[in-house]
């Protein structure tokens, strides 16, 4: 169903581009207009009529409005589990206020419909990352705290129970990465490289509720570039890192053994959490255009899916 939907939608967009190109309208502009009309989910009641132009749009084949935009929710982390998308975020109470109540939304990827949510208790104030390690366990990473919740109990309508760990010295939870039986917790720095720490779930399982998670418990520690906002483990074990501020975004591959950075790809500004699905396609979420942010930045408050094979590296022109 996913393939036929994508092919049909791609065909409609391609036909529209051909027609408008003949009329003197640029294919890129019309593609943007067509994509703006094809966004799934609940459009917010504010903002411009169209999403903003962004790099590597030709690699993107699905767009979904982030849930809760009208209510002030700002998306941060993204994970995929059991056929659903999960997005974490905080609710801002005013311009540039980047902490508030935390929530995790569940989204159906084919329709863009929100299918549930749960709130994360204090001291969560940013919910910068989400990670799924298998076994029904979802992890929410906040600046100084790691929350673990059982997916089977998270969407019952009752407040779920969390296991909570404090992040010790040298750890700061800016984002998280999903792994097979492990999660990664990444730091954020603007003026220097940061680090990312790998934790095996077996280690977390052995800790009592309320324990302090230390850097020494990590099974691996890697350097990561500045402005890191999210990460995902792709095929061949390559670690992808999303980097951004509101005005620009980029994806870079990191060799997990050598730590060497590979080609850089420009993506929409404000890109935060990223995660690969079973088909090897990369899902991303952008906060650019969240309600509490100024309009001089791009309007792209979307969950989007892209094909990594169609990305054009930043060091060569797009075709």
């Amino acid at each position: 169903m996913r393939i036929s939907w994508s092919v049909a939608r791609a065909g409609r967009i391609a036909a529209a581009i051909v027609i408008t190109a003949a009329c003197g309208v640029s294919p890129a502009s019309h593609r943007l207009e067509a994509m703006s009309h094809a966004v799934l989910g609940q459009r917010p009641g504010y903002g411009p009529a169209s999403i903003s132009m962004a790099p590597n749009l030709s690699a993107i084949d699905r767009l979904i409005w982030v849930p809760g935009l009208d209510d002030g929710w700002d998306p941060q982390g993204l994970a995929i589990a059991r056929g659903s998308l999960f997005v974490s975020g905080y609710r801002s109470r005013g311009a540039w206020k980047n902490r508030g109540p935390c929530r995790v939304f569940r989204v159906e990827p084919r329709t863009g419909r929100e299918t549930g949510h749960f709130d994360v208790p204090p001291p969560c104030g940013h919910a910068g990352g989400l990670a799924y390690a298998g076994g029904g366990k979802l992890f929410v990473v906040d600046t100084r705290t790691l929350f673990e919740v059982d997916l089977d109990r998270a969407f019952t309508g009752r407040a779920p129970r969390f296991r909570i760990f404090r992040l010790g010295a040298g750890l700061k939870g800016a984002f998280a990465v999903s792994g097979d039986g492990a999660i990664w917790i990444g730091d954020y720095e603007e003026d220097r490289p940061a680090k990312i720490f790998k934790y095996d779930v077996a280690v977390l399982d052995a800790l009592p509720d309320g324990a302090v998670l230390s850097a020494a418990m990590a099974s691996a520690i890697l350097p990561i570039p500045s402005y890191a906002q999210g990460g995902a483990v792709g095929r061949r074990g390559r670690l992808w890192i999303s980097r951004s501020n509101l005005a620009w975004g980029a994806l870079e591959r990191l060799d997990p053994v050598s730590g060497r950075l590979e080609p850089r790809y420009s993506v929409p500004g404000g890109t935060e959490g990223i995660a690969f699905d079973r088909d090897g396609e990369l899902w991303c979420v952008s906060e650019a255009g969240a309600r509490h942010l100024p309009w001089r930045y791009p309007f792209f408050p979307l969950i989007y899916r892209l094909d990594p094979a169609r990305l054009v590296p930043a060091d060569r022109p797009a075709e």
Side-chain angles (χ1 to χ4, degrees), residues 52-55 74-76 90 95-98 126 188 190 227 229 243-250 267-272 285-302:
S52 297
M53 183 65 74
D74 185 309
Q76 296 294 305
Y90 64 93
W96 290 116
K97 295 188 181 298
N98 61 1
H126 198 76
Y188 174 86
E190 293 186 357
Y227 288 94
Q229 302 278 15
R243 305 175 64 206
S244 75
N245 66 18
L246 292 176
W248 61 271
V267 292
T271 294
E272 296 273 335
V285 64
S286 169
E287 68 172 343
R291 189 161 199 165
H292 69 106
L293 301 174
W295 295 122
R296 65 178 179 271
Y297 291 108
F299 185 67
F300 210 87
L302 302 168

Side-chain angles (χ1 to χ4, degrees), residues 5-317:
W5 185 94
S6 297
V7 170
R9 179 170 174 266
R12 291 195 300 271
I13 293 175
I17 290 173
V18 169
I19 294 171
T20 51
C23 298
V25 180
S26 85
S29 296
H30 191 273
R31 178 177 176 81
L32 180 66
E33 181 181 354
M35 293 180 74
S36 295
H37 289 297
V39 181
L40 303 174
Q42 181 63 50
R43 179 184 177 85
Y46 66 91
S50 174
I51 59 175
S52 297
M53 183 65 74
N56 270 310
L57 277 181
S58 61
I60 297 173
D61 68 352
R62 192 167 305 183
L63 299 169
I64 301 172
W65 293 110
V66 169
L69 290 170
D70 280 329
D71 294 327
W73 292 98
D74 185 309
Q76 296 294 305
L78 187 144
I80 299 173
R82 299 178 176 179
S84 292
L85 303 171
F86 297 86
V87 176
S88 65
Y90 64 93
R91 188 177 186 181
S92 175
R93 301 192 184 280
W96 290 116
K97 295 188 181 298
N98 61 1
R99 290 190 69 83
C102 296
R103 177 169 288 182
V104 174
F105 296 90
R106 184 176 62 189
V107 177
E108 210 291 315
R110 290 175 298 178
T111 65
R113 184 172 64 91
E114 181 197 335
T115 59
H117 64 258
F118 64 84
D119 294 328
V120 185
C124 187
H126 198 76
L130 272 182
Y132 183 69
K137 297 177 180 180
L138 187 69
F139 293 87
V140 184
V141 176
D142 197 55
T143 310
R144 298 296 179 188
T145 314
L146 174 67
F147 301 83
E148 177 190 315
V149 64
D150 188 337
L151 277 180
D152 289 333
R153 301 179 181 179
F155 297 96
T156 62
R158 299 179 180 180
R161 181 183 180 279
F162 296 86
R163 293 183 73 219
I164 299 176
F165 308 99
R166 290 180 293 144
L167 301 186
L171 292 175
K172 186 168 61 176
F175 66 93
V177 181
S178 300
D180 185 10
I183 65 169
W184 299 74
I185 298 176
D187 197 358
Y188 174 86
E189 299 288 352
E190 293 186 357
D191 56 353
R192 60 183 182 273
K195 292 180 180 180
I196 190 167
F197 302 78
K198 183 180 181 181
Y199 290 94
D200 298 327
V201 171
V203 171
L204 300 176
D205 287 344
L207 294 175
D209 191 11
V212 176
L213 192 64
S214 71
M217 296 174 185
S219 59
I221 303 174
L222 292 176
I224 55 175
S226 60
Y227 288 94
Q229 302 278 15
V233 179
R235 293 173 177 172
R236 302 180 182 176
R238 298 297 173 90
L239 182 63
W240 290 63
I241 299 293
S242 62
R243 305 175 64 206
S244 75
N245 66 18
L246 292 176
W248 61 271
L251 294 172
E252 295 185 17
R253 287 201 308 265
L254 182 70
D255 187 307
V257 177
S258 66
R260 183 173 63 90
L261 288 173
E262 296 180 341
R264 180 177 187 268
Y265 306 95
S266 296
V267 292
T271 294
E272 296 273 335
I274 60 176
F276 281 98
D277 63 21
R278 292 182 178 180
D279 296 323
E281 294 187 290
L282 186 62
W283 291 84
C284 314
V285 64
S286 169
E287 68 172 343
R291 189 161 199 165
H292 69 106
L293 301 174
W295 295 122
R296 65 178 179 271
Y297 291 108
F299 185 67
F300 210 87
L302 302 168
I303 304 166
Y304 63 94
R305 186 183 69 181
L306 58 80
D307 180 357
R310 296 173 62 190
L311 287 169
V312 177
D315 59 355
R316 64 185 176 91

